[in-house]
Amino acid sequence: MSVDLVVRNCTVVTPAGRTPDAGVAVEDGTIVAVGRSDRLPDADRVLDGNGNVLVPGIIDGHIHNREPGLEYKEDWESATRAAAAGGVTTVVGMPNTDPVIDRPEHLELKFDRGEASAHVDFQSYVVVTSENLDLIPDLDEAGALGYKIFLGSTVGDVPPPNDGEILEAMERIRKTGKRLGFHEENGEIIDHYTEQFKTAGKNDPIDHSHSRPVIAEQEAVERMLTFAEETGVKVHMFHVSSGSAAEAVARGKARGIDVTAETCPHYLWFTEEVMREKGNPARIQPPIRDGDERERLWEVGIDNGAIDSIATDHAPHTPEEKKVDDPFGNTWEAISGFVGLETEVPALLTFVDQGRLTLEEWVRRHSTRPAQIWGLYPKKGSLQVGTDADFTIVDPDLEWTLEDGDELHSKNCVTPFIGESFTGKATATVVRGEVVYEDGAVVGEAGYGTRVDVDDS
């Protein structure tokens, strides 16, 4: 028996444990065997893992690929090229594009653009506003992965529904069986402090952070959990940035609410001091918090399990929009967000090296749980026989420093991770049996990636 691809000489790691000197066999884009290297079949192509670690394909459930309409920042091709280089096999695009993804024809446009140019597999959320409550069933039928409401001011200025409309949306979404996620910040609190700070001439990058206090995030989480408890809808909290918000999620879980939550590498890596050290390039919403909030995010979110998954909120902007040439200038003239697809795996592997996570815990939060949360498991996020042959090979011991954004593959590469040192990096990325990244180069073809069907049964 000969198959299409065999990867040998790896330590295979899943949330259930690790197997040394092992690998994976692939036929027609599907896993046909997982086991010891000497028991795998012959293959048309054999990839030597060189003793590195092979894990289920990494899933980033929160990226802004900017297409359609904002392609000067990023598009499906460039975002998924960065994903492939970063070891990410599936990405999920956010809906605050131009047009916003708020109706079936806009979702179809986003899917069609992805089919034409993506290097890795993909999906998309749809936004819920005051104007499209009646389209919620149609958006489900059109293949949306899930729904999102922006509660606070965000890039694109997508206005949130009022609370009554949110309750009605939750009732409608519950009937679809899909999950509703939130940008969870209280807009009224943010608007009040933003205006107050501007009037007072508080224009430093750290002032942007303080204009969006932790209570704005915590209150939004608590309010949406109360609504979810009333309606029975499944909910998700995107980009949880603080220990206080993680504690609110934990209380919701304890009450039996079907709530999941993600955090991002930058909230676990940096403290708000990065705003004083690197300025506007580190500006993001919600902002990076102080040391106490970060440590409680680790303790409550990671160590005690309130946080289910890791994602990046990958959000490219031009250097001019990020005020790279004036990093400590008027922060209200800068924009929020930065790239992350090529630093998420290195950051998480660095946490493994530091002893803050095990490899198994990393895989669970960065692959298996995102797939389970969004109805992609076990097709994605597992190494089960009969599932998509998506896997990521990493060197967990490689020490390196991101010296410059030119090393990255996005159209715009501003990130506070420039200058940071890591232990660990992706060495190969395989999507449905095709090697799309190896030896430091993206080798997959644009247009190979495809939309992933959702199983919300």
Side-chain angles (χ1 to χ4, degrees):
M1 173 187 175
S2 179
V3 297
D4 295 333
L5 173 70
V6 162
V7 184
R8 305 182 190 273
N9 189 24
C10 297
T11 297
V12 173
V13 178
T14 70
R18 59 188 76 182
T19 305
D21 191 18
V24 179
V26 178
E27 178 73 12
D28 293 331
T30 299
I31 294 173
V32 294
V34 181
R36 298 298 294 264
S37 293
D38 58 2
R39 297 180 181 178
L40 295 172
D42 295 332
D44 297 339
R45 180 180 182 186
V46 176
L47 190 62
D48 187 348
N50 296 311
N52 287 322
V53 171
L54 184 151
V55 302
I58 299 303
I59 297 170
D60 192 328
H62 189 162
I63 77 159
H64 295 268
N65 68 289
R66 304 301 189 199
E67 191 173 6
L70 301 170
E71 289 88 351
Y72 75 95
K73 298 175 186 277
E74 188 82 297
D75 56 30
W76 272 124
E77 191 280 326
S78 58
T80 56
R81 183 175 2 121
V88 178
T89 59
T90 302
V91 296
V92 187
M94 283 292 166
N96 53 331
T97 51
D98 184 14
V100 295
I101 310 305
D102 61 350
R103 55 199 63 247
E105 57 267 32
H106 295 168
L107 181 61
E108 182 179 359
L109 174 63
K110 193 172 182 79
F111 284 154
D112 287 347
R113 296 282 186 88
E115 294 284 354
S117 62
H119 291 271
V120 306
D121 288 352
F122 61 88
Q123 248 289 346
S124 178
Y125 304 109
V126 293
V127 71
V128 177
T129 70
S130 299
E131 306 300 323
N132 71 339
L133 300 184
D134 59 330
L135 294 178
I136 285 172
D138 298 327
L139 289 162
D140 174 38
E141 291 296 320
L145 186 70
Y147 300 83
K148 183 172 185 180
I149 292 176
F150 293 89
L151 293 176
S153 58
T154 188
V155 174
D157 294 323
V158 181
N162 64 43
D163 283 354
E165 291 165 337
I166 291 174
L167 283 167
E168 181 180 344
M170 286 181 165
E171 294 282 3
R172 293 176 182 242
I173 292 169
R174 177 180 54 79
K175 294 175 183 177
T176 72
K178 290 181 177 174
R179 193 171 291 271
L180 169 61
F182 299 93
H183 178 120
E184 62 278 5
E185 289 183 287
N186 181 303
E188 293 183 4
I189 293 174
I190 293 167
D191 291 346
H192 171 78
Y193 284 109
T194 297
E195 186 59 33
Q196 184 182 87
F197 282 24
K198 287 180 177 180
T199 301
K202 294 183 176 181
N203 301 324
D204 293 336
I206 192 68
D207 295 321
H208 173 265
S209 299
H210 293 167
S211 74
R212 307 177 81 97
V214 168
I215 187 61
E217 181 180 37
Q218 181 183 341
E219 187 279 336
V221 172
E222 297 276 17
R223 180 160 44 98
M224 292 306 105
L225 289 176
T226 299
F227 289 3
E229 191 170 33
E230 172 68 19
T231 60
V233 72
K234 299 184 292 186
V235 293
H236 182 76
M237 302 299 162
F238 289 111
H239 50 43
V240 171
S241 68
S242 64
S244 296
E247 288 168 351
V249 170
R251 290 191 292 270
K253 289 177 182 283
R255 280 154 51 192
I257 299 168
D258 190 341
V259 54
T260 55
E262 74 180 31
T263 193
C264 307
H266 44 271
Y267 298 127
L268 299 171
W269 186 281
F270 297 109
T271 71
E272 67 174 22
E273 290 304 307
V274 72
M275 303 306 297
R276 296 186 174 96
E277 296 164 359
K278 301 189 179 188
N280 288 318
R283 177 179 152 157
I284 198 163
Q285 296 168 177
I288 295 167
R289 306 298 186 180
D290 66 26
D292 176 67
E293 288 289 350
R294 182 186 66 173
E295 289 312 304
R296 286 196 292 128
L297 178 60
W298 268 103
E299 179 181 355
V300 177
I302 303 300
D303 299 341
N304 295 342
I307 298 296
D308 298 87
S309 62
I310 301 293
T312 57
D313 195 7
H314 175 88
H317 300 288
T318 67
E320 293 76 18
E321 289 173 319
K322 291 295 295 177
K323 300 296 179 184
V324 169
D325 290 339
D326 188 19
F328 300 101
N330 189 336
T331 193
W332 310 114
E333 297 175 358
I335 198 167
S336 290
F338 46 77
V339 298
L341 279 163
E342 295 178 72
T343 52
E344 57 183 311
V345 168
L348 271 293
L349 287 171
T350 302
F351 295 141
V352 171
D353 181 69
Q354 293 169 347
R356 301 215 69 167
L357 286 173
T358 66
L359 284 170
E360 291 85 352
E361 289 167 342
W362 164 54
V363 172
R364 182 169 67 85
R365 283 192 170 93
H366 218 170
S367 180
T368 301
R369 282 300 285 144
Q372 292 171 336
I373 289 166
W374 296 110
L376 305 179
Y377 186 86
K379 184 175 184 177
K380 305 294 187 183
S382 83
L383 293 177
Q384 296 180 23
V385 170
T387 63
D388 283 356
D390 293 357
F391 40 87
T392 304
I393 301 173
V394 302
D395 180 346
D397 301 316
L398 178 65
E399 296 182 357
W400 65 286
T401 299
L402 180 61
E403 300 287 357
D404 190 273
D406 291 343
E407 300 174 41
L408 305 177
H409 292 78
S410 287
K411 283 188 177 181
N412 294 285
C413 299
V414 180
T415 169
F417 281 102
I418 292 172
E420 299 297 309
S421 295
F422 304 94
T423 303
K425 194 174 189 180
T427 60
T429 308
V430 179
V431 179
R432 287 177 287 110
E434 290 292 326
V435 179
V436 298
Y437 174 79
E438 65 174 334
D439 298 329
V442 176
V443 295
E445 294 185 1
Y448 174 72
T450 192
R451 185 186 93 185
V452 186
D453 292 331
V454 183
D455 178 7
D456 53 9
S457 59

